[in-house]
Amino acid sequence: MLNQTKRQVFILDKVKVNGEVTSKHLAEELNVSLMTINRDLKALAESGDVELVYGGAVYKKRDLSEYPMTIKSEVNAHGKKLIGEYCKQLVKPYSSIFIETGTTTFAVAQEIFRAENCTFYSNSLMVLSTLSKYEDISLFSVPGEYRELSQGFLGVQTIDYIKNFQFDLVFIGTEGITLDQGVTLPDEIDAYTKKAIIKQAKEVVLVADKSKFGIAHLYKINDVKDFDYIITDLPKDHESFKKMSQVTNIISVDE
């Protein structure tokens, strides 16, 4: 069990990435009482990092920066798994598939690797490490400059390399998505790499868990309408989902 200081650091990291947390889920995850969690949230609110809301808290500076994969991977893991499971049905046999960096795309890789006679390409270290454990697939590593925050290879080398290919299917992640600002990222090199990969795809699937909606960053990679599919765990009755469903093929895996 974490002590008070470590517990509050953990809670702050969660709320930074997810934008919000609930007292109930935190109490279950950390195996402490609701009273303890509420005291922690109150302390974080007094420091100015979060704002208390009914049943939990929201982050006041949710759109200012990126966070490491070690934090991101813990956020909404169940939702990302559901997204990955749905994506299996989008994969056709004998396809060339590119899986980009990110924790949601990583969840996709963990679910679709058994696709019949498919060839996989990736610039994600996490994806490559996982898929390399399976003998019955064709797997290719895409070069580039390693970026720790993305745990992947990005930049000029990556862009030059992929210009030689035309992928059947590409899975792309994002850090922010709104109808007006489109699909955005806080890092310029990451954004330009994703834009280049999209250009080499016959079909592009954006995978975005619900924590990414309503957030806009500096660098835009595409409009919402430009993706063939958007797969998310955002509920169908959410206002953002309703608006986006009018302009693109957005699919909810929310249970």
Side-chain angles (χ1 to χ4, degrees):
M1 185 179 295
L2 300 178
N3 62 33
Q4 182 183 39
T5 300
K6 290 183 178 180
R7 193 172 59 243
Q8 290 181 10
V9 169
F10 177 85
I11 293 171
L12 182 57
D13 284 340
K14 293 276 281 192
V15 75
K16 279 178 178 178
V17 178
N18 206 35
E20 61 183 1
V21 290
T22 67
S23 301
K24 181 176 181 294
H25 288 157
L26 286 173
E28 291 173 354
E29 186 170 6
L30 294 172
N31 194 29
V32 295
S33 67
L34 276 172
M35 187 179 298
T36 297
I37 292 298
N38 288 333
R39 281 200 300 266
D40 289 336
L41 291 177
K42 184 178 179 182
L44 291 171
E46 289 174 352
S47 69
D49 292 312
V50 306
E51 181 178 346
L52 298 179
V53 295
Y54 180 76
V58 296
Y59 188 46
K60 286 186 176 180
K61 308 168 186 176
R62 59 185 294 179
D63 62 343
L64 293 185
S65 61
E66 290 185 282
Y67 297 93
M69 289 292 184
T70 51
I71 299 173
K72 291 179 183 179
S73 62
E74 297 176 358
V75 176
N76 196 18
H78 179 63
K80 292 172 184 175
K81 179 175 173 57
L82 293 177
I83 291 170
E85 289 175 347
Y86 183 90
C87 287
K88 282 189 290 189
Q89 61 186 284
L90 301 178
V91 179
K92 299 174 183 177
Y94 299 94
S95 295
S96 55
I97 301 169
F98 194 108
I99 305 177
E100 236 273 334
T101 59
T103 55
T104 311
T105 48
F106 177 56
V108 172
Q110 291 175 303
E111 298 296 332
I112 71 170
F113 68 90
R114 290 188 179 89
E116 182 183 353
N117 294 305
C118 286
T119 302
F120 292 90
Y121 297 79
S122 184
N123 61 333
S124 165
L125 190 60
M126 295 193 303
V127 170
L128 291 168
S129 177
T130 296
L131 295 187
S132 67
K133 296 178 174 64
Y134 304 102
E135 298 178 356
D136 298 329
I137 64 171
S138 296
L139 175 64
F140 293 87
S141 173
V142 176
E145 181 179 358
Y146 182 69
R147 182 170 184 265
E148 177 62 29
L149 278 175
S150 302
Q151 286 198 17
F153 304 95
L154 312 171
V156 175
Q157 283 183 307
T158 308
I159 293 170
D160 285 345
Y161 180 82
I162 62 165
K163 286 179 180 178
N164 299 305
F165 298 88
Q166 185 69 33
F167 305 105
D168 292 317
L169 185 61
V170 167
F171 290 98
I172 292 280
T174 185
E175 294 298 329
I177 175 172
T178 71
L179 184 58
D180 294 333
Q181 283 78 35
V183 178
T184 56
L185 294 164
D187 181 76
E188 182 178 18
I189 301 302
D190 196 4
Y192 277 110
T193 303
K194 282 179 168 59
K195 284 170 72 73
I197 292 168
I198 288 171
K199 286 181 180 179
Q200 306 305 123
K202 296 177 183 176
E203 194 169 53
V204 183
V205 179
L206 179 72
V207 288
D209 80 279
K210 59 189 176 184
S211 70
K212 306 305 192 318
F213 285 78
I215 299 175
H217 293 287
L218 180 59
Y219 300 101
K220 180 178 178 179
I221 62 172
N222 243 340
D223 287 314
V224 168
K225 64 180 177 62
D226 294 326
F227 292 91
D228 295 290
Y229 294 95
I230 297 177
I231 313 300
T232 182
D233 63 333
L234 189 72
K236 292 180 180 179
D237 59 359
H238 193 284
E239 193 63 26
S240 292
F241 187 95
K242 291 179 181 178
K243 290 180 179 179
M244 290 184 191
S245 65
Q246 297 174 12
V247 300
T248 192
N249 190 11
I250 183 170
I251 297 168
S252 175
V253 299
D254 178 54
E255 295 178 321

